[in-house]
Amino acid sequence: MTHRTPKEINAMNTPVPTPRHRKGALAAFATAAVFALSGCAAYQLPPEPARYTLETQTNGVKTVWQYTSAQVTKDVAPEQQPCTGEVIGTNHEPCRPEPLIFLRYDLDLALDKTAKAGDTHEITITGYYQQSLTALPKVTTLKAEASFDGGKTWHSAATRAQGRNTFSTKIEHPRRDRAADGVALRINASDSEGNTVKQTLPTAYKLR
């Protein structure tokens, strides 16, 4: 899933037409093989460092990344995750994984994928990146919010660091009848290089 993203937009949300040429594919949860089947797009981007926004929505889960990218002068993608252009044989220019923060959730649910209503429930969230031959940033902050009414209102959840890129979050569950739509989660995280991610799960789990 190494890529130079096809939907990279600057702070004004406008594609930048310059001689800079990068190949790529986006999608938060796909593999290079999927991109090879679906194709990829080429965009003209400036060689200078710039701030970009990338948005995806998969099965109702919305993710918005903001990150800084610049011209690539040498490959920093490991052999296990080659550049998309290399995989599909359309581009052999240097590339690297963009510094996108991905989120992994341990929701600690019962076998029926529910959590107990009217109780404090702890989940674990880990940030991670695509593999790179260069040093990766560190996720420094994470803010968690929960909603019990389908995203109409949000409640902050206590969060603390548990190790590198890992955070625990305690969610105060209401009674089951007050969370008919289950529990929605909204996570905001940032790293040591100023890259951010905001991810919204409309129904992370149900209460019992």
Side-chain angles (χ1 to χ4, degrees):
M1 197 166 60
T2 300
H3 53 62
R4 306 180 189 101
T5 51
K7 187 187 176 184
E8 289 179 295
I9 52 178
N10 62 12
M12 298 300 292
N13 295 325
T14 305
V16 182
T18 75
R20 172 85 169 95
H21 186 75
R22 289 193 282 181
K23 281 282 188 179
L26 68 97
F29 311 105
T31 64
V34 173
F35 293 126
L37 292 174
S38 62
C40 64
Y43 283 75
Q44 302 296 328
L45 297 174
E48 300 81 9
R51 190 75 171 169
Y52 295 95
T53 297
L54 170 62
E55 298 183 15
T56 69
Q57 187 159 330
T58 305
N59 297 326
V61 177
K62 183 178 180 181
T63 308
V64 180
W65 290 277
Q66 289 190 334
Y67 63 101
T68 299
S69 183
Q71 184 172 12
V72 181
T73 58
K74 65 179 181 178
D75 284 329
V76 294
E79 293 183 2
Q80 302 92 323
Q81 294 186 349
C83 300
T84 304
E86 294 285 346
V87 173
I88 63 179
T90 59
N91 189 287
H92 300 284
E93 296 180 7
C95 78
R96 68 175 177 201
E98 297 291 4
L100 306 182
I101 307 171
F102 295 91
L103 299 174
R104 182 184 296 116
Y105 299 85
D106 180 356
L107 300 176
D108 193 24
L109 303 178
L111 293 178
D112 61 356
K113 298 182 180 181
T114 64
K116 187 177 180 181
D119 198 6
T120 299
H121 184 68
E122 184 169 322
I123 67 175
T124 302
I125 305 169
T126 302
Y128 66 99
Y129 300 84
Q130 300 173 73
Q131 292 184 21
S132 174
L133 298 179
T134 57
L136 294 170
K138 177 182 178 181
V139 179
T140 53
T141 63
L142 186 139
K143 176 184 177 183
E145 297 172 286
S147 176
F148 312 109
D149 57 7
K152 296 177 183 177
T153 57
W154 293 91
H155 308 271
S156 296
T159 301
R160 64 183 178 88
Q162 273 198 328
R164 184 178 178 86
N165 298 345
T166 301
F167 300 80
S168 65
T169 297
K170 291 185 177 181
I171 301 173
E172 302 293 335
H173 290 161
R175 297 198 314 260
R176 184 179 180 183
D177 61 350
R178 293 186 178 180
D181 296 323
V183 179
L185 294 177
R186 186 166 65 187
I187 308 300
N188 286 271
S190 60
D191 68 19
S192 54
E193 294 183 359
N195 306 303
T196 66
V197 62
K198 179 179 180 180
Q199 189 167 78
T200 304
L201 289 69
T203 306
Y205 56 91
K206 298 281 189 176
L207 299 181
R208 67 177 185 279

